[in-house]
Amino acid sequence: MLLILFLDFWLGTDAVLSRPGLVLSVLALTTVLLAAGELADMFSNAASRVDARVLALASFAMVLVTCVPVLWDDYPADCALGRFGFSLSGVVVGFVVLIFMEMVSFQGETDVRGEIVDRIGRGALTLIYLNMLFAFLLNHRFLNGDNRLGLLAIVTLITTVKLSDASAYFAGKSYGRRKMAPKLSPGKTIEGAIGGFVGGCAGALIVIYLVGPWLFQTNVDKAWWWVLIYGVLVTAAGMFGDLAESLIKRDTHTKDSSRWLPGLGGILDVVDSLVFAAPVSYLLWI
């Protein structure tokens, strides 16, 4: 991760390519293929099989359009579409791909009424769910057109959410007694959530006041109370995102999104808390 961050920062400097977010875009395009494949497996059932290849193609096309602003050396301030316009356009392109692939594979009336509409609906949910993460994460990278600040904002987001996850896990294991959402996630406790908020706030403070000045040579012009509010709200959004994926997994009778990360599950199990935290983080930064 440190190597990826350094490479993305290096390519974003004026002396090299002046393209911040280039490595992040490649990482996003790779991750979305894995995430779409996991969602396709989770969404498939006997009545409506979801083609993982179609879902991956639509999701890849969506993120590819979302990443287009990375190609600009100096993004035009008067561009009517705007960077988030590309993100929205990406969702439209991905949705068109879904519809087109269903048209191509259509063989006449379906055996189950509404089967195609059901698949398209699941595909649309996939596009919205995944682009909530990638659209806002990429736009973190462009904050104020500052290569250092953009990278620091992403590190702050990830550190806050993941330190919150870790703190909630250990606090819940050590002191957890009262269940927070037993039907959605039986392992989560109120004591664990409190530990998560402490860890999230600590993560934000550490990155902004220690890592930022030391590693990025960047001092963030934000008051201490803003950092604490950031920690609380981003942690809360991360917990909501975790529970949101738990809802999907309970409904689809899935324990882990996949098994390729021993002890963690799949790529969705790693990024689920970031999906809802990324929009909240971006809005707080701007």
Side-chain angles (χ1 to χ4, degrees):
M1 181 58 69
L2 288 172
L3 180 61
I4 289 171
L5 290 173
F6 173 77
L7 184 58
D8 197 76
F9 172 76
W10 182 68
L11 293 174
T13 58
D14 294 335
V16 185
L17 284 180
S18 189
R19 296 290 192 283
L22 196 60
V23 179
L24 181 63
S25 297
V26 175
L27 185 62
L29 289 167
T30 305
T31 304
V32 78
L33 290 175
L34 297 171
E38 291 178 358
L39 283 170
D41 290 339
M42 293 166 67
F43 288 163
S44 291
N45 56 40
S48 179
R49 298 295 299 175
V50 176
D51 192 327
R53 294 169 298 179
V54 171
L55 209 55
L57 177 63
S59 301
F60 185 85
M62 172 188 70
V63 175
L64 191 64
V65 175
T66 299
C67 292
V68 166
V70 174
L71 301 176
W72 263 278
D73 181 11
D74 186 16
Y75 190 81
D78 60 347
C79 178
L81 192 56
R83 288 194 175 99
F84 271 110
F86 281 98
S87 302
L88 180 59
S89 300
V91 176
V92 173
V93 169
F95 191 66
V96 169
V97 170
L98 290 176
I99 299 288
F100 176 76
M101 295 304 293
E102 290 292 346
M103 289 178 175
V104 170
S105 61
F106 186 64
Q107 299 295 323
E109 289 191 11
T110 57
D111 296 330
V112 180
R113 184 178 181 180
E115 178 182 355
I116 292 176
V117 173
D118 181 73
R119 279 202 300 269
I120 293 172
R122 297 180 195 208
L125 171 61
T126 299
L127 296 177
I128 295 170
Y129 183 76
L130 294 180
N131 215 38
M132 279 180 63
L133 172 61
F134 296 115
F136 283 95
L137 196 63
L138 283 166
N139 277 281
H140 271 74
R141 193 67 183 88
F142 305 132
L143 275 174
N144 295 351
D146 188 331
N147 188 24
R148 295 179 187 274
L149 179 62
L151 201 58
L152 177 64
I154 290 178
V155 174
T156 305
L157 166 63
I158 295 175
T159 303
T160 300
V161 170
K162 289 305 166 185
L163 195 54
S164 166
D165 286 349
S167 300
Y169 176 82
F170 286 109
K173 284 290 184 181
S174 302
Y175 309 107
R177 297 292 182 273
R178 291 167 290 183
K179 301 294 184 181
M180 186 172 69
K183 292 184 179 179
L184 283 177
S185 187
K188 289 182 173 56
T189 63
I190 293 176
E191 292 81 3
I194 294 172
F197 280 110
V198 173
C201 291
L205 288 165
I206 289 169
V207 174
I208 290 179
Y209 289 123
L210 295 179
V211 177
W214 172 66
L215 189 61
F216 297 104
Q217 287 82 50
T218 299
N219 291 306
V220 178
D221 186 22
K222 300 287 186 183
W224 63 268
W225 53 264
W226 180 92
V227 182
L228 290 179
I229 290 174
Y230 180 95
V232 170
L233 294 183
V234 170
T235 295
M239 291 179 180
F240 185 85
D242 198 356
L243 290 173
E245 199 218 359
S246 294
L247 176 64
I248 294 173
K249 290 196 291 187
R250 294 291 173 273
D251 183 55
T252 57
H253 296 190
T254 306
K255 184 180 184 299
D256 295 319
S257 59
S258 72
R259 299 178 181 177
W260 71 278
L261 288 172
L264 292 176
I267 197 70
L268 284 174
D269 296 319
V270 175
V271 304
D272 57 355
S273 50
L274 290 169
V275 170
F276 287 88
V280 173
S281 172
Y282 182 78
L283 291 173
L284 287 170
W285 275 107
I286 62 173

